[in-house]
Amino acid sequence: MLTALALSLALTQAPPKLIIGGASFQPYPLALAPLGGTGAAAAAAAELYATLKDDLAISGLFDPQLLDPKGYLADPHEGMTAATIHFQRWSDVGAEGLVKGEIRASGGRLTAELQLFDVLARSQQLDRRYEVGPKGAREIAHRFADDLIQYFTSEPGPFESELVYVKDVGRQKELGLADWDGHGERLVTRGGNLNLLPSWAPDGRAVAFTSYKNGHPDLWELLLPSRAEKLLAARGDLNTGAVFSPDGKRVAFASSSEGNDQIYLLDLASGEVTRLTNDFGIDASPCWSPDGKQLALVSQREGSPQIYLMNADGSGAKRLTFQGNYNQTPKWSPRGDLIAFTARDERAVFDLFTINVQTGQVTRITQDQGLNSAPSWAPNGRLLVFTSTRTGKKELWVTTPDGNSQHQLTHDGGYSSPAWGPAIPRR
Amino acid sequence: MTGEALAEGGPLGRPRGGGEGPEHFEDGAPPRRPPFPLGASLAISVALHAGLVAALLGSSLFRPPALDPSQAIHVKLARIGTPRDKRLLPRRPQDPVSTPAAPVPVATAKAVPVASTRPMPKLTAKRAESARDRIQSALSKLEKQVDDQAGDPNGFQNGTDDTTEGDLYWARVVDRIKRFYVVPNTIPDSERKRLVADVRISIGPDGTIGDLQTQTSSGNAFFDHAIEAAVKKCRALPAPPPELARRARDGVVLEFRAAEM
């Protein structure tokens, strides 16, 4: 039995005590009432509603069926205050939370008022007002979605963040930037070269990447929003996989400057480079733990590529993965508990997995849906973006860490190596 | 008939001696004749045994014990096959067992495609409320019937074993509340491990819940809210047995833990 029973029989004075454990965790039943908006604001209201609905559904935190307005019983024209909302009708469809709002267009600006109500308590919990430019409906949706995430989880939401990724352009590969959901794409490199493996600076003001613009793979830094490019490291024949430390002061990368590929550390202030690994295998793909004290990496020092952990000074290396014989692209969760990675299984199919850093428990995220690779965590650690070929083209997808909720973000193909940016509100 | 005559004859007055009959035993005593013919005796014996077996089969001794419908039986089906090599990467579980579903709302108007030549009547709010009330009433009756039928299959009506009866009753209370123990997954994993809250309720003679009070908050409003909602959604608990009615009425503490125990 999942539930144990404790009964204080001996104490005749004390009331019986029943212990009930093992709650059933379910997505929160939040209803999203269609937003009011007339005239010029009608289209903005529809765009805001669709964007907000996608954000909430993809988050994995809210019941996607209840976000569908087809089953709602309430009068679409009911009021916006606790006194004028017929809560029983929302309760009848299973809602415990209710979002209502309206948007107005005036003087070339959009103004939205959005509220969250507790259906059971029949009270207002959040009241937000946003004013943006005439094309800012999506921005309002992301901001309010983040406000809802903050309210429900006490953690910052990921919906105002951006993605950087590699986009195939003809025979070249350029870096692209987009909203977290793939909208608003713009290419930020136009070098006509191979630009690979982008990685965000923790403040979101720069992206490190590997570029062949000088004929061999070197490390570059793309400054945002200016898009100016700055050479970071060009040592030997190959430099790749640069990742900023959580404090933004150091960059770990792989280089073959002294023979086989090994892991190095670049101090950005002094320009000093320190070698961290020294073994006969190939070491690559470093990534930082959230506290900056450790690095995960891929190493072939024992034959097949496996994921290892070591201290940030290169000491204390130990093997982390023992299942599978081709594990790569480790990405440490912002929560610190899991590392997501790509692995090739016994059928030679690449899929996503996580491994618990403490227990070593490996969990499969994707399966039997094309080739899946290159995971990157959302800043709150509740979602992963990755590349999948399940539609026949290389597209960006997003999933919850358990793999139970997966959604396609892009549709025109040619996407790879996504990196999810930090949660930095653009207000 | 004289005494000699009785001594001479058998119990049925038959003479002992003489060579009249076909049987003749070495001790010289004549064989006693069976009261019935052998064939008839065998037939009666077989019939009696068959009847006895039939009666036993039909009796309660051979009936399976009645199941208490309030007791959940958890079953895990094992997949037959060779265990997966531990050196291989894991597979995702196929056809995952669904987690306990959230309570289904009583009246919903989810659009369901129906193959019909006549359009479905529009579900108005008033009709929905009416339907909800009817369904709720029917559910309450059904639950009462189920609760009335529940009991210890090995017990007897006037039993006084307080411990066994009490344990069974409190287990049914826990089982009932747990059906509605749904917590939003917006609560972070790290916080789930430590969330504990106590609420106190009283249970009326008919199972009605009264005096819901939060004794110890978990510190997480959503968790506190969810367990309060779980108790309220129960509407009523199984009616306590007479020997527990007073304790149930005086108050029961429910300690909710988010994590598995």
Side-chain angles (χ1 to χ4, degrees):
Chain A
M1 288 282 286
L2 298 176
T3 303
L5 166 67
L7 174 60
S8 54
L9 285 171
L11 303 175
T12 54
Q13 299 300 321
K17 188 168 194 174
L18 310 180
I19 299 178
I20 304 170
S24 173
F25 286 92
Q26 302 281 334
Y28 185 78
L30 179 72
L32 181 58
L35 305 177
T38 57
E47 186 178 26
L48 195 166
Y49 185 84
T51 306
L52 180 57
K53 184 180 165 189
D54 283 349
D55 284 1
L56 299 179
I58 291 174
S59 75
L61 297 173
F62 304 100
D63 184 349
Q65 287 189 328
L66 203 53
L67 292 169
D68 186 345
K70 289 177 183 172
Y72 295 167
L73 295 173
D75 181 352
H77 303 294
E78 72 174 4
M80 292 266 298
T81 64
T84 56
I85 294 172
H86 195 153
F87 286 108
Q88 184 62 51
R89 291 181 184 170
W90 294 104
S91 179
D92 284 346
V93 297
E96 293 182 11
L98 170 65
V99 168
K100 293 186 73 85
E102 61 184 2
I103 189 166
R104 294 185 299 276
S106 176
R109 305 283 290 173
L110 291 176
T111 304
E113 293 183 2
L114 296 163
Q115 285 101 28
L116 170 69
F117 295 92
D118 184 327
V119 172
L120 301 180
R122 305 188 174 208
S123 62
Q124 187 185 70
Q125 302 298 310
L126 274 182
D127 183 11
R128 293 286 186 272
R129 185 174 187 276
Y130 309 94
E131 185 175 338
V132 297
K135 296 184 178 178
R138 290 178 48 78
E139 179 188 341
I140 294 174
H142 291 321
R143 287 169 63 178
F144 187 60
D146 275 349
D147 285 341
L148 288 173
I149 297 294
Q150 178 75 46
Y151 172 78
F152 282 104
T153 68
S154 302
E155 300 168 352
F159 301 122
E160 292 175 86
S161 56
E162 290 182 309
L163 304 179
V164 63
Y165 48 82
V166 174
K167 179 81 165 85
D168 294 346
V169 180
R171 300 179 64 179
Q172 308 302 327
K173 292 181 181 295
E174 304 288 358
L175 298 190
L177 273 180
D179 293 349
W180 83 270
D181 54 6
H183 285 264
E185 176 179 282
R186 61 270 190 203
L187 296 181
V188 289
T189 57
R190 285 289 189 181
N193 290 292
L194 297 180
N195 301 293
L196 307 169
L197 299 172
S199 173
W200 286 92
D203 62 2
R205 295 180 180 276
V207 171
F209 65 104
T210 302
S211 177
Y212 282 71
K213 66 173 61 182
N214 287 343
H216 47 76
D218 297 325
L219 301 182
W220 290 78
E221 185 179 16
L222 173 72
L223 303 178
L224 297 173
S226 69
R227 301 186 186 180
E229 295 181 9
K230 174 182 161 188
L231 184 64
L232 275 178
R235 298 163 53 87
D237 293 335
L238 181 143
N239 302 276
T240 188
V243 284
F244 287 94
S245 61
D247 61 8
K249 296 178 179 177
R250 296 165 292 172
V251 171
F253 64 100
S255 174
S256 62
S257 59
E258 296 175 79
N260 60 338
D261 295 9
Q262 296 289 289
I263 305 300
Y264 291 80
L265 195 61
L266 167 65
D267 185 288
L268 290 173
S270 66
E272 183 181 347
V273 173
T274 306
R275 180 170 176 168
L276 296 184
T277 61
N278 190 355
D279 56 73
F280 293 106
I282 293 175
D283 293 348
S285 303
C287 81
W288 294 87
S289 63
D291 61 7
K293 294 179 179 176
Q294 286 183 288
L295 285 161
L297 67 146
V298 177
S299 178
Q300 286 183 308
R301 65 188 67 178
E302 293 180 61
S304 62
Q306 298 288 347
I307 295 171
Y308 288 73
L309 302 181
M310 66 180 183
N311 295 323
D313 62 0
S315 66
K318 64 178 181 181
R319 182 172 168 179
L320 181 64
T321 56
F322 292 89
Q323 290 171 269
N325 57 16
Y326 203 99
N327 301 322
Q328 55 182 349
T329 72
K331 292 292 164 53
W332 212 310
S333 163
R335 295 169 179 269
D337 56 345
L338 301 176
I339 290 176
F341 62 100
T342 307
R344 188 181 66 190
D345 69 12
E346 72 275 15
R347 303 168 302 167
V349 173
F350 287 94
D351 271 312
L352 303 188
F353 297 81
T354 60
I355 183 167
N356 186 300
V357 177
Q358 295 299 321
T359 66
Q361 174 73 40
V362 175
T363 303
R364 194 171 195 132
I365 301 174
T366 59
Q367 180 174 287
D368 302 330
Q369 292 175 306
L371 304 181
N372 304 281
S373 61
S376 176
W377 291 95
N380 66 354
R382 287 180 178 269
L383 293 170
L384 286 154
V385 63
F386 63 102
T387 305
S388 180
T389 63
R390 67 188 67 180
T391 62
K393 295 187 288 187
K394 286 192 299 181
E395 304 287 5
L396 299 184
W397 285 68
V398 66
T399 180
T400 50
D402 59 11
N404 289 337
S405 176
Q406 301 185 19
H407 300 266
Q408 186 174 357
L409 298 182
T410 61
H411 297 83
D412 54 336
Y415 294 87
S416 60
S417 296
W420 203 317
I424 299 174
R426 291 168 287 167
R427 300 178 186 175
Chain B
M1 186 177 286
T2 64
E4 289 80 5
L6 282 174
E8 289 289 324
L12 296 177
R14 290 181 61 83
R16 287 185 184 178
E20 297 176 11
E23 305 91 356
H24 188 84
F25 293 93
E26 289 180 356
D27 62 357
R32 182 179 297 178
R33 295 196 61 175
F36 296 105
L38 181 62
S41 299
L42 284 174
I44 291 171
S45 175
V46 168
L48 285 173
H49 280 86
L52 181 62
V53 169
L56 287 172
L57 287 174
S59 73
S60 60
L61 289 175
F62 286 81
R63 285 180 190 157
L67 292 177
D68 181 346
S70 73
Q71 301 299 309
I73 299 173
H74 298 275
V75 177
K76 286 188 177 179
L77 299 179
R79 185 184 296 277
I80 298 175
T82 307
R84 188 168 174 79
D85 188 335
K86 291 182 178 179
R87 292 169 299 180
L88 298 177
L89 292 157
R91 302 274 295 165
R92 279 178 66 80
Q94 299 293 322
D95 302 319
V97 177
S98 60
T99 53
V104 177
V106 174
T108 63
K110 299 276 185 186
V112 178
V114 176
S116 171
T117 54
R118 289 193 307 170
M120 290 291 288
K122 193 173 181 181
L123 184 61
T124 64
K126 189 176 179 180
R127 291 188 60 191
E129 286 185 1
S130 174
R132 186 191 68 240
D133 291 340
R134 287 200 303 273
I135 294 171
Q136 191 58 50
S137 174
L139 278 175
S140 298
K141 287 179 182 175
L142 186 61
E143 287 170 354
K144 187 172 187 310
Q145 288 174 6
V146 171
D147 288 338
D148 288 344
Q149 292 166 1
D152 180 358
N154 298 318
F156 55 99
Q157 192 170 5
N158 299 316
T160 57
D161 186 341
D162 181 67
T163 302
T164 302
E165 287 288 326
D167 282 348
L168 283 172
Y169 173 69
W170 298 124
R172 289 172 58 205
V173 169
V174 169
D175 191 55
R176 169 77 177 166
I177 295 172
K178 186 153 176 164
R179 293 183 204 174
F180 301 94
Y181 187 23
V182 177
V183 176
N185 65 0
T186 51
I187 297 174
D189 294 345
S190 57
E191 203 168 340
R192 296 178 190 183
K193 298 172 185 171
R194 64 167 186 80
L195 288 178
V196 179
D198 287 352
V199 298
R200 181 169 177 150
I201 61 171
S202 66
I203 306 173
D206 60 350
T208 308
I209 299 173
D211 299 332
L212 172 62
Q213 298 174 351
T214 299
Q215 282 198 324
T216 308
S217 168
S218 68
N220 182 304
F222 289 103
F223 185 72
D224 290 351
H225 189 81
I227 62 177
E228 189 177 320
V231 175
K232 286 181 176 174
K233 285 177 182 173
C234 286
R235 295 177 185 269
L237 296 168
E243 63 273 19
L244 292 176
R246 183 175 176 183
R247 300 187 76 188
R249 184 201 63 200
D250 290 347
V252 178
V253 175
L254 307 175
E255 181 180 301
F256 285 90
R257 299 179 183 179
E260 293 285 358
M261 296 167 53

